[in-house]
Amino acid sequence: MTSPTAFEIAARFASVKSSPVRDILSVVGREDVITFAGGIPDASLFELDDFHAAYDYVLTHQGQRALQYATTQGEPELLELLAARTSRKLPTTSAQLQVTSGSQEGIYLVGQVLLDPGDVVLVEQPTYLAAVQAFTLSGARLIAVETDDSGVLPDALDAAIAEHHPKFVYLIPTFQNPSGRSMPVDRRAAVAEVLLRTRTPLLEDDPYGELRFEGVSAPPLAALPGMAAQTVLLSSASKIMAPGIRIGWLRAEGPILRAIEVAKQAVGLQSAVTDQLAVARYLATCDLDAHIAHVSRIYRTRRDAMADGLAGLLPASATITHPEGGMFLWASLGGGVDTAELLPKAVDNGIAYVPGWPFFVADPDHSAMRLSYVTNSPEVIAEGLSRLAKVFGWA
Amino acid sequence: MTSPTAFEIAARFASVKSSPVRDILSVVGREDVITFAGGIPDASLFELDDFHAAYDYVLTHQGQRALQYATTQGEPELLELLAARTSRKLPTTSAQLQVTSGSQEGIYLVGQVLLDPGDVVLVEQPTYLAAVQAFTLSGARLIAVETDDSGVLPDALDAAIAEHHPKFVYLIPTFQNPSGRSMPVDRRAAVAEVLLRTRTPLLEDDPYGELRFEGVSAPPLAALPGMAAQTVLLSSASKIMAPGIRIGWLRAEGPILRAIEVAKQAVGLQSAVTDQLAVARYLATCDLDAHIAHVSRIYRTRRDAMADGLAGLLPASATITHPEGGMFLWASLGGGVDTAELLPKAVDNGIAYVPGWPFFVADPDHSAMRLSYVTNSPEVIAEGLSRLAKVFGWA
């Protein structure tokens, strides 16, 4: 009687793409496929007993509260604990925080609050694709800034700001997704100088920063003099605790906080109270630092397994990044290879990765791929690499 | 160094208002204030032991999965159970469902997927204000359709569709928020006839439908012949299980489902897996129908306490609705009273309600108020009404 076309999808939605990562994830649930695709923590490393105890405490002692409506900003004890943790990097009060359902929601809310259709966001090249998705849904035009192994180039950033008048710049300065690159201290200072001089707001995404294996820790850009007032700093429990509970938080100052809170009301009233209280209990009673140190030691051996294994396999045309932490390694194979085209053959051969092209907002490197080293043991990584070598005809 | 105005809030955000309900909620946490304001379930009625057991099961037997990333659509066992439950009203497969973080997220996602700036949404008069907020954030213009005690008037709906070409119509046909009104079966048929003839999509919000105290149950509009393909039907665990866990679900058919899934990726990847699995376990092992019957019996006595109490107090100029279920009673006081103006005095006197005007998208009734009867016992309701009478000078 009625055709399914009764629903007319919005025009602004037409350019929003599904996440290739999510789509690949749904394909590679197969037992016989080794996946380097998702930024998926190794579930066997989750502090399951600690979280079980935290939920048990919450439902025993705070049950009615955990199941009830609550304020949009977040649960007070969680905000206090997150403020204390964030203050290690940058002095932060609980009033400067908003709890989000993962840092993805933080990215999305900032886009909703700041972007009118046609507004420009400057991003790294390559950049996190679900951020591209979120900003595009808000109607933004994304412009890539030239990026080297130390992050965006300050001069290129300066020029892009002058030319495009962006609403904000989106950066992942530490263990970037997808490249694994980090911005050294001196580059951070130079980038901050440009942002301060041009009064350009920054959305700083820092989900991986605590997963450092080696090298010198650098402060977030938000912590450089003058930057706090013009930066929204995003953090997440997903990579250091567990992603299934969907808890992140953002730090900001001034009127934008209130606007973000109103947007979050509209999107979903508040994050799950059960999970907020469980994370608060976990933070109050467990040793997250010890857990992070433990996980980082294991991830380091996995990075080594992947980087060393690739070094012995890759053709001369290839370059790879050497991440000092985080989850991802980025390989550009060169030589006219198309990693997207070869993905079905790879999955047929029991190995999955994410092709590089979706991480570019312009001029994609079709020979690039993102490889996550955190999900699998060194032995499985070795097997996965030998499958990759077969698919790509290496060695 | 930098002024807080570095962040320039988007123009389209300027007309998005904070929810007066949420703002009132943050004020009335005070012990000495009786609140009729929020649609807040009585926490003492939550099935705390059942939920505790469900989370315990999940973290004992499905712990790694509960803490891990998952697909955007929702957990398979939860989708199956929700499909079975939804099929009581309308045959539904799990492939036709999307899990949402409360039905608020469902409202928001449908707005994001269907609305371009300037598009029209037709709504009841009055209507749910957080839906107004969500649609406004998507850039919509909201137009109210003339509404009587049986819901929108079919002729007025027909005329408004012809004049405004809405992207969709948003209705809460059963125990409407804020009015408590329900659409009888014959009105539903007449409204469906208009929507089918004009091929106008419907967003049907049904969070309260199972909380019926009396009267004849009516099918959702989505279940009328031909309507399923052009309706998104929203349901929620918030009013029948618990709101703190933030689980809702929507039913749709055709390409819109995929678009909604992509939008949800951008907003937050997926709903909390812990909570999804706990709700699945609860549904699989507990008697939700018995719980709803129990809660409905109690809510009925509270509705009676409020309706009977008001009947003896209200001035002759006032009218009130007589809800057969749900959470809200709507009083229009008439006589030039301004309920928003009197709210501070009411809170000072230890009683809170929601003024009626924010629920109107045009021509507000400033003498109206929304009163929730579900949060408090009949004794507390009686005390609250006597405080209201004092504030408003009744009797």
Side-chain angles (χ1 to χ4, degrees):
Chain A
M1 184 178 295
T2 308
S3 96
T5 57
F7 292 106
E8 193 185 325
I9 305 299
R12 71 183 169 82
F13 199 77
S15 58
V16 179
K17 301 287 186 297
S18 172
S19 160
V21 175
R22 295 244 122 202
D23 294 341
I24 292 167
L25 289 186
S26 66
V27 169
V28 298
R30 283 164 40 192
E31 283 288 329
D32 60 329
V33 176
I34 295 172
T35 180
F36 298 157
I40 301 178
D42 183 341
S44 73
L45 301 177
F46 292 150
E47 296 284 11
L48 203 45
D49 290 345
D50 285 346
F51 273 99
H52 195 160
Y55 277 93
D56 189 53
Y57 176 88
V58 166
L59 288 157
T60 303
H61 299 286
Q62 305 172 300
Q64 290 192 2
R65 209 181 127 199
L67 300 184
Q68 185 61 287
Y69 284 114
T71 60
T72 300
Q73 191 199 356
E75 293 309 289
E77 55 268 71
L78 177 61
L79 291 167
E80 287 295 335
L81 289 157
L82 296 177
R85 195 164 186 91
T86 308
S87 292
R88 296 175 177 189
K89 303 183 279 191
L90 171 61
T92 299
T93 67
S94 59
Q96 292 169 325
L97 295 179
Q98 169 68 55
V99 172
T100 58
S101 297
S103 60
Q104 180 69 33
E105 193 189 45
I107 293 170
Y108 181 79
L109 292 174
V110 170
Q112 283 286 295
V113 164
L114 295 181
L115 296 170
D116 284 309
D119 281 347
V120 168
V121 179
L122 298 182
V123 300
E124 290 155 321
Q125 171 90 317
T127 189
Y128 173 49
L129 56 81
V132 172
Q133 201 181 33
F135 301 147
T136 306
L137 195 53
S138 293
R141 286 192 303 129
L142 301 182
I143 308 278
V145 178
E146 195 181 341
T147 305
D148 68 10
D149 276 346
S150 298
V152 288
L153 298 172
D155 287 350
L157 179 64
D158 208 354
I161 289 169
E163 182 178 351
H164 299 291
H165 308 291
K167 267 303 188 65
F168 60 89
V169 178
Y170 171 72
L171 300 177
I172 312 160
T174 308
F175 316 139
Q176 200 242 13
N177 181 359
S179 70
R181 292 167 179 151
S182 290
M183 201 181 268
V185 170
D186 56 345
R187 178 66 64 88
R188 287 174 197 243
V191 167
E193 187 279 324
V194 173
L195 296 174
L196 287 166
R197 175 165 42 76
T198 58
R199 297 176 48 77
T200 307
L202 171 66
L203 177 57
E204 181 171 17
D205 196 1
D206 189 26
Y208 314 104
E210 297 206 51
L211 296 171
R212 178 173 286 282
F213 318 149
E214 64 192 18
V216 180
S217 181
L221 283 157
L224 298 186
M227 280 298 294
Q230 70 186 56
T231 303
V232 176
L233 176 64
L234 302 176
S235 304
S236 175
S238 293
K239 316 302 184 186
I240 56 174
M241 289 179 252
I245 50 178
R246 308 309 301 133
I247 296 294
W249 62 102
L250 64 79
R251 181 204 186 280
E253 297 180 6
I256 191 176
L257 266 171
R258 176 65 178 153
I260 289 169
E261 186 182 8
V262 172
K264 187 170 165 71
Q265 287 176 8
V267 171
L269 305 185
Q270 77 263 335
S271 294
V273 187
T274 37
D275 305 318
Q276 289 189 64
L277 292 175
V279 170
R281 178 68 184 171
Y282 173 87
L283 287 171
T285 58
C286 302
D287 190 346
L288 176 57
D289 292 333
H291 172 65
I292 292 172
H294 172 65
V295 167
S296 296
R297 276 192 301 274
I298 292 169
Y299 284 179
R300 179 184 185 140
T301 65
R302 296 178 181 188
R303 181 209 55 185
D304 290 344
M306 185 171 280
D308 296 349
L310 279 170
L313 287 171
L314 286 176
S317 62
T319 57
I320 60 172
T321 55
H322 188 81
E324 295 184 326
M327 303 185 135
F328 304 114
L329 186 151
W330 178 257
S332 175
L333 302 177
V337 174
D338 187 328
T339 55
E341 195 176 286
L342 283 165
L343 182 61
K345 182 179 168 194
V347 172
D348 284 347
N349 281 270
I351 180 70
Y353 55 83
V354 185
W357 72 265
F359 297 95
F360 293 84
V361 301
D363 307 319
D365 176 355
H366 288 283
S367 80
M369 54 169 58
R370 190 191 73 175
L371 301 171
S372 164
Y373 46 76
V374 300
T375 313
N376 302 294
S377 69
E379 296 70 32
V380 176
I381 287 172
E383 171 59 23
L385 290 178
S386 80
R387 294 182 191 180
L388 261 190
K390 187 176 154 205
V391 172
F392 284 90
W394 300 333
Chain B
M1 184 178 293
T2 309
S3 95
T5 57
F7 292 107
E8 194 185 324
I9 306 298
R12 70 183 169 81
F13 199 79
S15 58
V16 179
K17 301 288 186 298
S18 172
S19 160
V21 173
R22 296 243 120 202
D23 294 341
I24 292 166
L25 290 184
S26 66
V27 170
V28 297
R30 283 165 40 192
E31 283 288 329
D32 60 329
V33 175
I34 295 171
T35 179
F36 298 157
I40 300 178
D42 183 340
S44 73
L45 300 177
F46 292 150
E47 295 284 9
L48 202 46
D49 291 344
D50 286 345
F51 274 100
H52 195 162
Y55 277 94
D56 188 54
Y57 177 88
V58 167
L59 288 157
T60 302
H61 299 285
Q62 305 172 300
Q64 291 193 2
R65 209 182 127 200
L67 300 184
Q68 186 59 287
Y69 283 115
T71 60
T72 301
Q73 191 199 356
E75 294 309 289
E77 55 270 70
L78 177 60
L79 291 166
E80 286 296 334
L81 289 157
L82 297 176
R85 195 165 184 91
T86 308
S87 292
R88 295 176 177 188
K89 301 183 280 191
L90 170 63
T92 300
T93 68
S94 59
Q96 293 169 325
L97 295 179
Q98 168 68 54
V99 172
T100 58
S101 297
S103 60
Q104 180 69 33
E105 193 189 44
I107 294 170
Y108 181 78
L109 292 174
V110 170
Q112 283 286 293
V113 163
L114 295 182
L115 296 171
D116 284 308
D119 281 348
V120 168
V121 178
L122 298 182
V123 299
E124 291 155 319
Q125 172 89 317
T127 189
Y128 173 50
L129 54 83
V132 172
Q133 201 181 32
F135 301 147
T136 306
L137 195 53
S138 294
R141 286 192 302 131
L142 301 182
I143 307 279
V145 178
E146 194 180 343
T147 306
D148 68 9
D149 276 346
S150 300
V152 287
L153 298 173
D155 287 349
L157 178 65
D158 208 355
I161 289 170
E163 181 177 352
H164 298 291
H165 308 290
K167 268 303 188 64
F168 60 88
V169 178
Y170 172 72
L171 300 177
I172 311 160
T174 309
F175 315 138
Q176 200 242 12
N177 180 0
S179 70
R181 292 168 179 149
S182 290
M183 203 180 266
V185 171
D186 56 346
R187 178 66 62 88
R188 289 174 196 242
V191 166
E193 187 279 325
V194 173
L195 296 174
L196 288 167
R197 174 165 44 75
T198 58
R199 298 175 49 74
T200 306
L202 172 66
L203 177 57
E204 180 171 18
D205 196 1
D206 189 25
Y208 314 104
E210 298 205 52
L211 296 170
R212 178 172 288 281
F213 319 148
E214 65 192 17
V216 181
S217 181
L221 283 156
L224 298 186
M227 281 298 295
Q230 69 185 60
T231 303
V232 176
L233 177 63
L234 302 176
S235 303
S236 175
S238 293
K239 315 302 184 187
I240 56 175
M241 288 179 254
I245 50 178
R246 309 308 302 135
I247 297 293
W249 63 101
L250 63 80
R251 181 202 186 280
E253 297 181 6
I256 191 175
L257 265 172
R258 176 66 178 154
I260 289 169
E261 186 181 8
V262 172
K264 187 170 166 71
Q265 287 177 8
V267 171
L269 305 185
Q270 76 264 335
S271 294
V273 187
T274 36
D275 306 318
Q276 289 188 63
L277 292 175
V279 170
R281 178 70 184 171
Y282 173 87
L283 286 171
T285 58
C286 302
D287 190 345
L288 177 57
D289 291 333
H291 172 66
I292 292 172
H294 172 65
V295 167
S296 296
R297 276 192 299 275
I298 292 168
Y299 285 178
R300 179 185 185 140
T301 64
R302 295 176 181 189
R303 180 211 55 186
D304 290 344
M306 186 172 279
D308 295 350
L310 278 170
L313 287 171
L314 287 176
S317 61
T319 58
I320 59 172
T321 57
H322 188 80
E324 294 184 326
M327 303 185 133
F328 303 113
L329 187 152
W330 179 255
S332 175
L333 302 177
V337 175
D338 187 326
T339 55
E341 194 177 286
L342 282 164
L343 182 61
K345 181 179 169 194
V347 173
D348 284 347
N349 281 271
I351 180 69
Y353 55 83
V354 184
W357 72 265
F359 298 94
F360 293 84
V361 300
D363 307 319
D365 176 354
H366 288 282
S367 80
M369 54 169 57
R370 190 190 73 176
L371 301 170
S372 164
Y373 45 76
V374 299
T375 314
N376 302 295
S377 69
E379 295 69 30
V380 176
I381 288 172
E383 171 59 24
L385 290 178
S386 81
R387 294 182 190 180
L388 262 191
K390 189 177 153 202
V391 172
F392 284 90
W394 300 333

